Amino acid sequence: MTPARTGERPRDPHAPFHRAGLAALVLFPAADHLLDLRLVGDVVPVLLFAILAVGLNATVGLGGLLQLGYAAYFAAGAYAAGILTSVAYPFQLPLEVATAAAVGAGALLGALSALPVLRLKGDYLAIVTLGIGEIVPVTLRNLEPITKGEFGISPVDLPGPRAWEDWTNTTHGVLWYYLALALLGLVVYCQRRLERSRIGRAWEAFREDELAASACGVDTAAVRVQLLAYSGAVAGLAGAVSASYVPAILPSQYEFPISAMVLSLVVLGGLGNWRGAVWGAILLVSLDRILAPSLTRWAQSLVGSGSYSFFLEFSNYRFLLFGLALVLVMRWRPGGLFPPRAAQERVG
Amino acid sequence: MSGPEPPILELRDLTKSFGGLVAVNRVSLDLGPGAIASIIGPNGAGKTTLFNMVSAVTAPTSGTMRFRGTDLRRPLDARARRTLAAGAAAGAAASVLAGWGLDLFAALTTEPFSWTGGPSRAAAALFAGSPATALAAAAGAAAGGTACLGAWALDRWRPDRAAELGIARTFQNIRLFRDMTVLENVLVGQAPRLLSGLAGILLGSRAVRAEEREARRRGLEALAFVGLPGREHALAGSLPYGDQRRVEIARALAGRPALLLLDEPTAGMNPAETGDLTRLIREVRDRLGVTVLIIEHHMEVVMGISERVVVLDHGERIADGTPGEVRSDPRVIEAYLGRGHGQGRPGA
């Protein structure tokens, strides 16, 4: 593609895909109901992962900071929500209040974890974030008086008035689905506003050339705090909602594989493009949460009832498939499925 | 010197040494407002190091800089820095010890004191970790950390502060935000002037939109000024070399600086481009009233454009005057051509 010669803004060539994807997301529960797929509830985690991916995309894609411990912020949100709502603690606030606190907890952990890295970038920063991603689950395991250690927190409160039995009724996953979709919409809205503001531009300038950005008047230490706090806040939101959906919290849900998975969603979808992050989450997480279990059921039924084959349990191939998907995408579309405008012009 | 007008930039005994190498040695310089001045000198003379100090990219080893009457220096002097850091560390240590002291006191007073049992009880108290210890240690660490961070933040040598004060610069090897559009580049250049807050950005408030419109207008104006109208949506990295230089100058001018530092603006340009750029630099001063300081190797450009030429050699100012004066200065000829140049140019 040749760069635009006129003053016209170049159009996104993938816009029809995105519109179709949005329509599919909005209409999915209806299709699910008509076709009697009963998958709406399974798609909720997919949407929550999409929220995580959009949040991480800000740090890694826009800001260029390699964040390897993203699950820590997810955990911060989940535990904040759990501690503030669960009957095991004295607070028992409604989930809506606790979710706000969870967003704050994620942002606070993000801002705090920026402090040791105010001058770092690249590999050094990645190591520190990896360390934070390890410290947080270990702390959660061992700080038993506060986190209940390995037992975790259960149940976490549900959204809305307690009388809404629907939230617990799995056949009514539609409510959860639209809640998750609305929150994804909210996060995307914030993302778009930020991208087109002085803050988002400063993030990108920082990624492109830190020295030049600071000579232009961008405070690069503040950018690091903003990036980690913002993506931490988004992860905190996802953590609170997912803890309430499950509705339990275990320290093992917040370890490195989650960080690696969200990162691979972002890279696969297209680093720096939130639309790509959403697509990456929808494709890969659906594969993992919906397609793999269905395949497993089908394959096991072929083997015959009563017998169980370890090798036909497709969820075991999860990371093999993620790895394969990443290798294939990097080979054929190095910018990801939906690269941001800049990469489109360079690669394609 | 034109009358009593105070200089815009005053350097006094500015020195920078890297280990044993003195890159800039006690350079003093007064630059009047509205001047076009050049700094020349052989490779390694310390020209770029001088620029880096004026734009706060590197901290001087000693000496002072004043820009429009404001001191460009660390807000704290070395002694205040050390005192603050030591005080913070001591405070943190003291509160940890105080916590331990409480534990010790409790351990030693609960039972009648005995020389045999006392020390072991004291040791046990030190490692038992009562809430008092934990609280005091946490408070100490937080206070100490905050103070250290505060000292660092005050002490930080920040190019963005220089940009805020009105010092803009370009770089020897062009440093554009290559994957951002030309317009975005000049918008980042206005970073110190854009003040919209997070809430306003997320809500898309009227004030934020107005500020953004105004920034765009100023950005387009700067692009038109450097002769690049209609290219604002092209990716900065996709422009030809000469245009990239212009974008970099537009980005520097977009923040409405009072002093523009140009580091080898005509490097790698053909004679036609060089001529255009020379005219542009003159317009920057004539039409925008910006004081311009240039590092340049093209003698034709230097002698044609500058009202004043400063010559550096081995970090020292060896000559300073009008182009005519400098050209005939024997020390300058010696620095450039070596001793005994009458017998032919060595190495040429």
Side-chain angles (χ1 to χ4, degrees):
Chain A
M1 185 193 292
T2 51
R5 294 231 162 258
T6 62
E8 264 174 54
R9 190 188 299 273
R11 286 172 194 281
D12 185 350
H14 303 304
F17 277 108
H18 300 317
R19 262 182 240 118
L22 178 63
L25 278 181
V26 172
L27 298 176
F28 177 74
D32 181 82
H33 182 72
L34 286 176
L35 301 173
D36 199 25
L37 297 171
R38 297 166 193 243
L39 287 176
V40 168
D42 295 333
V43 181
V44 173
V46 176
L47 295 175
L48 295 177
F49 267 103
I51 293 177
L52 283 175
V54 172
L56 186 62
N57 176 56
T59 312
V60 186
L62 286 188
L65 297 178
L66 185 50
Q67 161 68 280
L68 294 178
Y70 199 46
Y73 310 93
F74 190 41
Y79 272 86
I83 288 172
L84 290 178
T85 64
S86 167
V87 287
Y89 295 89
F91 310 105
Q92 291 171 33
L93 299 172
L95 184 70
E96 289 72 15
V97 179
T99 303
V103 172
L108 183 68
L109 182 65
L112 285 179
S113 54
L115 297 186
V117 297
L118 286 175
R119 295 200 292 182
L120 299 186
K121 230 183 168 177
D123 302 350
Y124 306 101
L125 181 123
I127 300 253
V128 174
T129 59
L130 188 64
I132 290 163
E134 292 300 312
I135 290 168
V136 167
V138 169
T139 307
L140 294 174
R141 282 216 156 85
N142 292 291
L143 201 62
E144 277 178 31
I146 297 174
T147 64
K148 312 288 182 208
E150 290 290 353
F151 297 106
I153 302 169
S154 172
V156 178
D157 198 15
L158 299 163
R162 309 283 152 95
W164 286 14
E165 298 265 316
D166 288 342
W167 290 106
T168 56
N169 188 339
T170 45
T171 58
H172 285 74
V174 178
L175 278 175
W176 276 108
Y177 182 92
Y178 281 113
L179 175 71
L181 192 62
L183 290 176
L184 176 62
L186 176 72
V187 169
V188 162
Y189 167 83
C190 292
Q191 179 71 31
R192 290 179 56 139
R193 285 272 184 211
L194 282 172
E195 270 177 25
R196 291 165 190 190
S197 74
R198 67 175 184 94
I199 296 179
R201 285 195 301 264
W203 292 352
E204 278 197 81
F206 168 79
R207 173 196 69 203
E208 292 290 301
D209 191 324
E210 182 174 355
L211 177 60
S214 72
C216 284
V218 173
D219 181 351
T220 53
V223 166
R224 287 177 171 86
V225 176
Q226 289 164 2
L227 281 170
L228 291 176
Y230 171 69
S231 66
V234 174
L237 174 71
V241 179
S242 100
S244 166
Y245 179 69
V246 173
I249 295 171
L250 292 171
S252 59
Q253 292 165 336
Y254 305 101
E255 290 186 330
F256 181 69
I258 297 290
S259 305
M261 184 163 153
V262 179
L263 185 62
S264 56
L265 305 179
V266 175
V267 173
L268 183 111
L271 212 51
N273 185 358
W274 61 263
R275 294 177 183 84
V278 173
W279 276 107
I282 288 172
L283 295 178
L284 267 194
V285 184
S286 314
L287 196 74
D288 180 41
R289 297 286 169 107
I290 297 168
L291 195 61
S294 321
L295 268 180
T296 304
R297 270 195 300 279
W298 176 72
Q300 298 285 10
S301 72
L302 284 186
V303 177
S305 58
S307 62
Y308 169 80
S309 168
F310 174 80
F311 296 103
L312 292 179
E313 176 68 47
F314 284 96
S315 303
N316 293 336
Y317 303 124
R318 170 184 305 160
F319 285 101
L320 198 69
L321 285 177
F322 284 1
L324 190 67
L326 271 180
V327 168
L328 291 178
V329 167
M330 289 304 114
R331 171 64 187 83
W332 301 109
R333 282 184 79 90
L337 292 177
F338 297 101
R341 173 199 59 211
Q344 281 166 20
E345 296 195 1
R346 244 184 300 112
V347 177
Chain B
M1 289 289 114
S2 57
E5 222 171 344
I8 187 165
L9 181 71
E10 299 166 69
L11 310 180
R12 290 281 171 277
D13 294 329
L14 205 61
T15 301
K16 176 72 190 182
S17 44
F18 297 102
L21 176 79
V22 184
V24 173
N25 193 3
R26 298 175 64 85
V27 167
S28 297
L29 182 69
D30 280 348
L31 192 61
I36 297 183
S38 293
I39 300 179
I40 63 169
N43 288 328
K47 305 181 295 288
T48 296
T49 306
L50 188 70
F51 260 35
N52 284 346
M53 286 191 281
V54 174
S55 58
V57 170
T58 48
T61 310
S62 65
T64 60
M65 300 187 283
R66 285 172 75 78
F67 175 69
R68 290 205 281 188
T70 312
D71 250 333
L72 296 178
R73 62 175 168 88
R74 294 167 186 267
L76 302 176
D77 65 12
R79 230 178 78 205
R81 266 195 332 266
R82 276 198 297 274
T83 314
L84 194 57
S95 63
V96 174
L97 288 178
W100 269 347
L102 285 177
D103 283 0
L104 265 183
F105 182 76
L108 295 177
T109 50
T110 45
E111 287 172 46
F113 183 75
S114 76
W115 282 109
T116 48
S120 67
R121 277 213 304 281
L126 284 188
F127 294 102
S130 77
T133 316
L135 220 63
T146 311
C148 286
L149 203 72
W152 177 77
L154 285 173
D155 179 44
R156 196 151 56 104
W157 202 246
R158 290 171 53 177
D160 52 304
R161 289 279 302 137
E164 266 170 45
L165 289 172
I167 301 175
R169 70 170 291 177
T170 65
F171 295 87
Q172 200 170 339
N173 43 339
I174 302 174
R175 303 186 79 131
L176 285 181
F177 309 125
R178 299 178 58 87
D179 277 356
M180 298 170 76
T181 65
V182 169
L183 180 61
E184 282 170 333
N185 267 271
V186 289
L187 287 175
V188 173
Q190 302 175 37
R193 304 178 141 262
L194 303 183
L195 305 167
S196 46
L198 182 64
I201 287 171
L202 291 183
L203 297 173
S205 75
R206 191 172 296 169
V208 169
R209 274 178 306 178
E211 184 187 83
E212 197 71 2
R213 257 198 314 276
E214 175 62 15
R216 264 159 213 278
R217 196 188 60 70
R218 275 205 303 259
L220 293 175
E221 210 177 82
L223 286 172
F225 181 82
V226 300
L228 285 174
R231 300 301 308 272
E232 63 268 19
H233 292 303
L235 283 185
S238 71
L239 294 184
Y241 185 84
D243 286 353
Q244 293 194 14
R245 278 266 177 235
R246 286 167 183 273
V247 175
E248 208 189 15
I249 293 173
R251 186 179 70 184
L253 291 174
R256 303 257 168 104
L259 173 65
L260 177 64
L261 308 173
L262 299 170
D263 197 346
E264 295 198 30
T266 68
M269 289 193 161
N270 64 34
E273 287 173 326
T274 303
D276 288 348
L277 199 70
T278 311
R279 272 190 292 283
L280 175 62
I281 293 170
R282 197 170 283 130
E283 276 187 17
V284 166
R285 193 270 309 267
D286 293 347
R287 281 178 50 197
L288 304 180
V290 176
T291 310
V292 184
L293 188 60
I294 311 170
I295 291 177
E296 190 49 77
H297 281 302
H298 276 175
M299 281 310 136
E300 235 171 279
V301 175
V302 171
M303 298 303 169
I305 200 177
S306 334
E307 285 130 22
R308 184 174 166 197
V309 179
V310 177
V311 189
L312 292 186
D313 187 30
H314 296 296
E316 289 180 43
R317 191 179 72 166
I318 60 168
D320 184 349
T322 63
E325 288 163 7
V326 165
R327 205 182 335 219
S328 54
D329 191 312
R331 294 187 62 190
V332 177
I333 296 168
E334 189 189 310
Y336 267 90
L337 303 177
R339 221 175 269 277
H341 59 94
Q343 283 87 44
R345 296 164 64 173

